[in-house]
Amino acid sequence: MGLFGFWSGLMGFARFVLWPVLQLKPRSTEARSGVSPSLHHFSSSSPLCFHHPIPHDRNSINGDETTWEVDYVIRFRRKSVFFKDLSLGPNEAQLKFRLIHFWEAWNPVKKTLIGMEMLLIDEQGTVIQGFISPGRIEKYLPDMKRGSVYKLNNFYGSRNKSVFRVADHTVTVSFSWNSELTVLLNCPTHFDADSFRFHSYEEFQANCDLKGDLYDVVGHMKLVNGQSIVEAPVLDEVEIAKARRVLIHVQSHDGPVMKLYLWDQAARDFCKKFNSYEGTPTVLLVTTVNTKTLGGTLALTSMSSSRVFMDYEVQPTIDYFSWLGSNPAIAEQVNAEVVTKRETMTIGEIFSYIEQESAKDAFFECTATIDDVVHGCSWYYIACSGCHSKVINGPTSLICTSKKCGKVNASGVPQYLSKISVYDNSDQAVFVLLGDAGRELTGKPASELVRSYFEANGNEGVNLEAPVPEALISTIGQKHKFCVKVTEHNFSGKTRSLTVTKILPLDPQPTTVSSEDNHTAATSEETSENRVDSADGSKRTCDSSELERVKRPKCGN
């Protein structure tokens, strides 16, 4: 029995080990890649995967015979490498990493998806950027979860981009046609949960407008959308989603106060987290912010890769919270001039900002001289007396065009929609005066000017428009400080007209302006903006080709 057992073992060894080696033959392209199709069905921790060749059935044409093809796959032949050792070009090695974050990268001009970008960290703490092309996102996305650990076989080492980089490494891990991504459950190897790259105010200032690396900022909040953090503000998620942004004044340690603009997803995440706290959060960390100069002032803006953390969420916010508690005098400091000051720009600088790919809706201050009142289009429109949206003539009454209001028997009231030609030392532009901005310029509401005209003319031509009033013409030659806003209509090239939301005094405001006063001004601007947004965008710019000829209201004041 002993001899028989020995002979049986020897034959088994020859069958499964020596015979496949002696029967070597050209292999298919897929087999030459070093990965058998059946390998997907075995766990990397399986004894079969680690020690044994992996057989798989392949039926013959007539289906009566079963042959065995053996891929002699040994686990240690798949070389595992660390991020620090990666090089450019195709790689058949194996990577193990934690997926910190992933996000969609879009071309802001063409509005096309560039791909899925990722932030990865290996067991040595080295961070690298990953990339999946658009055609392969659907294949990998279902298995991708932030914080999970993975192994990746086969990939391409591409050169890291030179603009808006989120990692120091010169190589980007790009998923290729034969990449295999596998989740590692209960992995005993330790991987850091996250990694951050912080900059101070001075470092942000030195790298401003360079579009290079995107660094992280941590600090304590001073104002949120113009509201003092000590007043425990409550944020309206619906309004913030509509506005697409949050403006936060943040101070990092004892440095100057910085303006931090959070856009789109980062703004929504901030609002949701901010409102979830029982008390008011104090410490804020935002990753991968871009730095730019707006009116000579440093501003930080979020990107699609940005994440938001507060108070005790991650170790850096915990450490900063502890530092802040040890330095209460820093937390109480408020530089009102820096905190409440709007960005001041020339007309030329505003147009340059609009041409930037990363430009978003924003408010600016601009001092300019009025050169003329633009003729050829109406200087007012008929608005709903309730919501100030545009009304149209119905069969028997005026109908409000606002979906929220929707009155079918609205009272009409004239509101400013005036275009003025202005200039400064850098350029010239057309400003559009809306609502309160027109009243602040002329000193009279549009309804009063329209009514006065028809009363002076014995109500003749009641179905015609009132001509441009003297109160508006008399402003020609005057210099004013305007608060203007730029919107999507400017970025898309539909119009170069700039909307005026407020007329400001030429004399500089005192540096002791309180946060309450600043909040009031911000509320006024937001109210004016809401009135305008409810009307069609092309109507807002008073384009003569699209502007409906408005009538004198039959009722209302």
Side-chain angles (χ1 to χ4, degrees), residues 294 343 345 350 353 362-366 482-486:
L294 297 177
E343 290 86 352
M345 284 192 175
I350 294 176
Y353 171 82
F363 288 90
F364 300 105
E365 288 183 7
C366 178
F482 301 91
C483 179
V484 300
K485 70 172 182 178
V486 294

Side-chain angles (χ1 to χ4, degrees), residues 207-352:
N207 292 277
C208 193
D209 296 318
L210 297 182
K211 297 183 179 180
D213 285 46
L214 303 176
Y215 289 95
D216 312 325
V217 60
V218 62
H220 53 285
M221 293 178 279
K222 296 290 190 179
L223 297 178
V224 178
N225 275 353
Q227 304 177 69
S228 175
I229 200 71
V230 299
E231 298 173 358
V234 177
L235 305 181
D236 189 330
E237 295 187 27
V238 176
E239 288 298 323
I240 287 178
K242 180 181 177 181
R244 296 177 50 218
R245 77 162 187 173
V246 178
L247 171 59
I248 303 140
H249 290 80
V250 62
Q251 181 180 14
S252 183
H253 295 95
D254 58 349
V257 175
M258 298 177 286
K259 288 187 175 182
L260 172 60
Y261 293 89
L262 300 184
W263 296 97
D264 299 324
Q265 187 61 50
R268 293 190 292 270
D269 291 344
F270 174 88
C271 184
K272 185 176 180 180
K273 288 187 176 183
F274 191 91
N275 289 339
S276 68
Y277 281 78
E278 292 184 3
T280 303
T282 304
V283 177
L284 177 65
L285 188 162
V286 180
T287 66
T288 62
V289 295
N290 185 30
T291 56
K292 57 178 62 178
T293 302
L294 297 177
T297 303
L298 172 68
L300 310 179
T301 63
S302 68
M303 304 290 283
S304 55
S305 57
S306 296
R307 294 172 292 151
V308 177
F309 302 98
M310 297 180 186
D311 283 5
Y312 291 96
E313 276 198 83
V314 289
Q315 191 60 46
T317 57
I318 296 174
D319 295 341
Y320 191 94
F321 202 96
S322 176
W323 176 88
L324 195 63
S326 303
N327 296 270
I330 299 296
E332 296 172 0
Q333 289 179 357
V334 176
N335 186 331
E337 182 178 10
V338 175
V339 169
T340 61
K341 183 181 178 181
R342 294 185 185 92
E343 290 86 352
T344 300
M345 284 192 175
T346 65
I347 295 176
E349 289 174 333
I350 294 176
F351 284 143
S352 296

Side-chain angles (χ1 to χ4, degrees), residues 320-471:
Y320 191 94
F321 202 96
S322 176
W323 176 88
L324 195 63
S326 303
N327 296 270
I330 299 296
E332 296 172 0
Q333 289 179 357
V334 176
N335 186 331
E337 182 178 10
V338 175
V339 169
T340 61
K341 183 181 178 181
R342 294 185 185 92
E343 290 86 352
T344 300
M345 284 192 175
T346 65
I347 295 176
E349 289 174 333
I350 294 176
F351 284 143
S352 296
Y353 171 82
I354 291 173
E355 294 174 357
Q356 296 179 12
E357 293 182 1
S358 58
K360 301 284 187 178
D361 292 12
F363 288 90
F364 300 105
E365 288 183 7
C366 178
T367 300
T369 301
I370 300 175
D371 181 60
D372 198 1
V373 177
V374 178
H375 298 272
C377 61
S378 180
W379 62 273
Y380 65 97
Y381 72 105
I382 305 302
C384 172
S385 60
C387 67
H388 289 190
S389 298
K390 186 177 182 295
V391 297
I392 58 176
N393 289 320
T396 58
S397 63
L398 296 176
I399 301 174
C400 180
T401 57
S402 171
K403 294 181 179 179
K404 292 183 178 180
C405 179
K407 291 182 179 179
V408 295
N409 190 21
S411 296
V413 56
Q415 289 286 341
Y416 280 99
L417 184 63
S418 309
K419 298 175 73 173
I420 57 175
S421 176
V422 301
Y423 66 91
D424 63 8
N425 292 332
S426 67
D427 208 335
Q428 56 185 1
V430 172
F431 284 179
V432 180
L433 300 170
L434 292 171
D436 292 340
R439 178 183 55 78
E440 292 168 349
L441 180 65
T442 64
K444 296 181 179 180
S447 58
E448 178 182 333
L449 296 175
V450 172
R451 184 177 64 251
S452 297
Y453 169 78
F454 286 108
E455 288 177 351
N457 289 273
N459 287 328
E460 294 181 3
V462 292
N463 291 325
L464 300 178
E465 295 176 359
V468 177
E470 180 62 29

